[in-house]
Amino acid sequence: MKKNSYYLILILLLSVTACKKDNSSTNSDVKPVTINIKLSYETEQTDLGLSLEKTQVKITNITTTQAYTGVTAADGTVEFKNVAPGNYDIAAVQTIAAADYNAKAGTNLTEAIVFNGTLSRQSLSQNSSLSIVLKTGRVGDLVIKQIYYAGSHVTNGALFRDQFIEIYNNSNVTLYADSLYFGQTINVSTALNKIDFNKGYYLPTGQYDWTKSIQMNNSKANSDYVYMSALFMIPGTGKQYPILPGTSIIIAANALNHKVPYTGADGKAIGVKDPSLTVDLSKADFEVYLGDQPGINRLASDLDNPAVPNVTVIDAGANRDLVLDNNGRDGVVIFKSAISPKIWGRFPTPDVVQIIASTKTYIQVLVNVLIDGVGLNQTTAINRVPKYMNDSVDAGETYVTKGAYSSQSVARRTNKTINGRVVLKDTNNSTNDFGVLNMADASKSAASFIN
C-alpha cells in the first residue's frame, strides 16, 4: 500500500513539473509588438492646414489597464515600441487655441477647439499600422447673413414693406431655428455731432449711459447688456425647423410677393410702379404678423400669409409691423435662452425722468447669451449716430452705400468654401465682415453671397 502511494505522489510531482515547464515555454513565445499610428483630420477640416504635431495619443490595455502614451510628429505619426500584445483602446486628442483656429478657418471662436479620435478594442498581437481620424463637434454658429433695412423707392417701390432678415448656419452641423430670438436694439438716434453731452445721461461715445436709467442698480448696465426696442421668437417644438450647414432662413416683415399688387387690410390696393426695385418674399421661412396682437393697430400692409409660419411676438415695441430703420439707425441681434426674456429686467431710456403708465421700457438682454449682433448706421458720415451695439458684440458697423429706399442690403462676406459649404466671415466687426448687395436678394442662391 505504501509503495503504491509512493508511486502516486511521484507521478503527481512529475505532472506539476511538466505543467510549469509548458507554461514557461508558452510565456517565452510572447513577444512585444510595435504599433504605428497615423492621424488625420476629418474631411471638413482637411483644407484648413491645421497642425497635427504634438497630438496626444494614448493606448490602454483593456485587460491589464496598462497604458502607453506618446505625441505625434509633424506628419501626424507616432510609434509605440515594446507593447505587450492584447486588446487595446486607443484615443487621440489635439487642442488648438481659438486664435490659431480662427486664423485658419475665419471663425470667431472664443475658446480653444478640441479634436478627438478613437479606436476601440483593437487586437494588437503583431506589429500593426493604424489610422485615426480626428473630429470635433460644432464649429461656428448661426450668424446674421443679410439685413435688408433700406427698403425700396418710396413711390416706385415697396417702401419698407419688403424688409427682411436672413440668418445663416455658419457651422458644420445642423442647427435648429426653434426658439431663436431676434430683434432690434435701442440706443441714441440723434446724430453724434448734435448730442448735448451736458445732459448727463450719455457716455463719452454718445451712447446712452444705462446706469442712469430709473430703477437701474447695475454698474455693468452698459458693458454687459443690450436693450431691445422689439423682440420676437421663432416658434417650434425643439427640432421642428432645422437649418442645415451652409443654408439659411428668411424672416420677412411681410411674406408676400411685393412685385405684384395686393389688397391691404383696409381694403385698399397696395402695389409698386417698378417691380424690379423690390423682392418676392412669398416663400420666406417666417414672417412677423401683428394683426392678432392685442392693442396693436397693425399697418394695412401687414397681411398674414397662411403658408408661412408667424413668429412669436415677445415685444413689438412701438412698431405696427417689423419695421427696420430705413436710415440704418438700428442694431439686430439673435440669441437663445432657456429663460423667457419676458421675466428679464425692463428699463426706460436714461433720459426719462419719471415713469408713468405710457412710459416705454426695454428688455435688458445679457451680452453673453447673444449668438450674433450686427450694428447698422447712416450712410452719410455727418449723419451717423452713436453705435447701437456694444463693442463686445460688434466692434464695427455696416451700412448701404446709396442710403434709404435704395433697394440695397448689407450682406456678410464669404470667407472660404469647404467641400462646397460657404463659410461666412465672422470677425466680430461688421465693418470688415459685411459688404453691400446692390439689390437685396432673398433667393438664398449664389447671387446672394458676396466674395
Side-chain angles (χ1 to χ4, degrees):
M1 185 64 128
K2 289 182 179 179
K3 186 174 182 181
N4 290 338
S5 298
Y6 171 78
Y7 283 119
L8 179 60
I9 292 171
L10 180 61
I11 291 170
L12 289 172
L13 287 173
L14 289 172
S15 298
V16 170
T17 304
C19 288
K20 287 183 178 179
K21 287 182 178 180
D22 288 343
N23 288 339
S24 174
S25 176
T26 301
N27 289 336
S28 64
D29 290 337
V30 176
K31 297 180 180 179
V33 297
T34 298
I35 307 301
N36 288 287
I37 298 174
K38 170 70 175 176
L39 304 184
S40 63
Y41 287 106
E42 59 186 324
T43 304
E44 183 77 14
Q45 309 288 340
T46 300
D47 295 336
L48 297 181
L50 301 174
S51 174
L52 287 164
E53 190 172 11
K54 297 182 179 179
T55 302
Q56 301 289 322
V57 182
K58 181 178 181 179
I59 66 175
T60 304
N61 188 295
I62 297 172
T63 303
T64 67
T65 71
Q66 182 179 5
Y68 305 81
T69 60
V71 294
T72 57
D75 63 354
T77 61
V78 60
E79 184 178 69
F80 293 91
K81 295 181 177 180
N82 298 316
V83 176
N87 293 321
Y88 284 82
D89 286 336
I90 305 175
V93 59
Q94 171 72 299
T95 301
I96 299 178
D100 294 337
Y101 188 84
N102 291 340
K104 296 282 189 180
T107 51
N108 190 31
L109 303 182
T110 57
E111 297 181 357
I113 184 169
V114 179
F115 290 86
N116 291 283
T118 60
L119 293 174
S120 299
R121 303 192 66 83
Q122 298 295 303
S123 178
L124 306 180
S125 58
Q126 57 187 1
N127 294 343
S128 303
S129 295
L130 304 172
S131 297
I132 297 178
V133 177
L134 296 175
K135 300 179 180 180
T136 189
R138 187 175 84 191
V139 179
D141 212 322
L142 297 174
V143 295
I144 299 167
K145 176 192 169 188
Q146 185 179 183
I147 305 175
Y148 178 39
Y149 70 87
S152 51
H153 196 272
V154 174
T155 56
N156 296 331
L159 196 61
F160 52 75
R161 301 188 299 270
D162 54 355
Q163 293 177 330
F164 68 85
I165 298 168
E166 184 176 6
I167 298 172
Y168 184 83
N169 183 354
N170 211 34
S171 81
N172 59 336
V173 299
T174 298
L175 301 176
Y176 295 88
D178 305 53
S179 300
L180 178 71
Y181 293 92
F182 69 95
Q184 299 156 264
T185 58
I186 179 74
N187 219 299
V188 178
S189 60
T190 303
L192 187 58
N193 59 5
K194 295 182 179 179
I195 291 176
D196 182 0
F197 286 92
N198 293 320
K199 290 186 175 180
Y201 46 75
Y202 296 111
L203 295 171
T205 58
Q207 297 165 303
Y208 279 131
D209 182 355
W210 289 92
T211 64
K212 305 296 178 61
S213 179
I214 295 175
Q215 298 181 348
M216 180 68 73
N217 185 25
N218 190 330
S219 63
K220 296 183 178 180
N222 298 309
S223 61
D224 288 8
Y225 300 89
V226 294
Y227 300 82
M228 307 305 300
S229 64
L231 184 61
F232 308 92
M233 184 190 77
I234 294 174
T237 57
K239 291 187 175 181
Q240 186 175 351
Y241 299 112
I243 312 175
L244 300 179
T247 66
S248 64
I249 58 171
I250 298 284
I251 303 169
N254 298 285
L256 303 170
N257 183 357
H258 296 278
K259 294 178 176 289
V260 300
Y262 62 96
T263 302
D266 58 0
K268 297 180 180 179
I270 299 174
V272 296
K273 294 180 180 179
D274 186 352
S276 68
L277 297 176
T278 185
V279 292
D280 179 1
L281 293 176
S282 62
K283 296 181 180 179
D285 298 279
F286 301 94
E287 72 170 343
V288 176
Y289 176 64
L290 301 184
D292 56 0
Q293 297 298 305
I296 295 179
N297 181 22
R298 61 166 168 157
L299 294 173
S301 58
D302 185 19
L303 298 186
D304 185 16
N305 181 346
V308 177
N310 294 331
V311 300
T312 301
V313 179
I314 305 300
D315 185 352
N319 292 334
R320 299 169 62 193
D321 196 357
L322 172 64
V323 180
L324 303 170
D325 186 77
N326 297 89
N327 291 301
R329 296 166 300 184
D330 223 332
V332 178
V333 297
I334 58 174
F335 66 91
K336 284 197 173 187
S337 172
I339 302 173
S340 172
K342 290 182 178 180
I343 67 172
W344 292 349
R346 301 182 67 110
F347 299 90
T349 52
D351 57 340
V352 173
V353 296
Q354 181 183 5
I355 296 180
I356 59 177
S358 60
T359 300
K360 174 62 181 168
T361 57
Y362 303 92
I363 296 175
Q364 183 188 54
V365 178
L366 272 166
V367 164
N368 63 14
V369 306
L370 299 181
I371 297 173
D372 193 24
V374 176
L376 306 172
N377 214 324
Q378 293 261 28
T379 298
T380 307
I382 196 172
N383 293 326
R384 289 190 189 139
V385 300
K387 289 184 63 183
Y388 266 59
M389 210 70 67
N390 303 5
D391 281 351
S392 61
V393 179
D394 189 357
E397 296 171 302
T398 184
Y399 46 84
V400 296
T401 55
K402 295 180 180 179
Y405 311 110
S406 61
S407 299
Q408 291 183 322
S409 67
V410 292
R412 196 176 288 271
R413 297 181 185 278
T414 296
N415 180 62
K416 61 180 60 182
T417 300
I418 302 176
N419 296 321
R421 177 175 67 89
V422 174
V423 178
L424 300 178
K425 193 172 183 180
D426 183 17
T427 66
N428 201 42
N429 186 328
S430 291
T431 303
N432 299 327
D433 294 344
F434 278 77
V436 176
L437 284 172
N438 200 47
M439 179 69 214
D441 193 332
S443 69
K444 305 181 186 178
S445 67
S448 67
F449 291 85
I450 295 177
N451 293 324

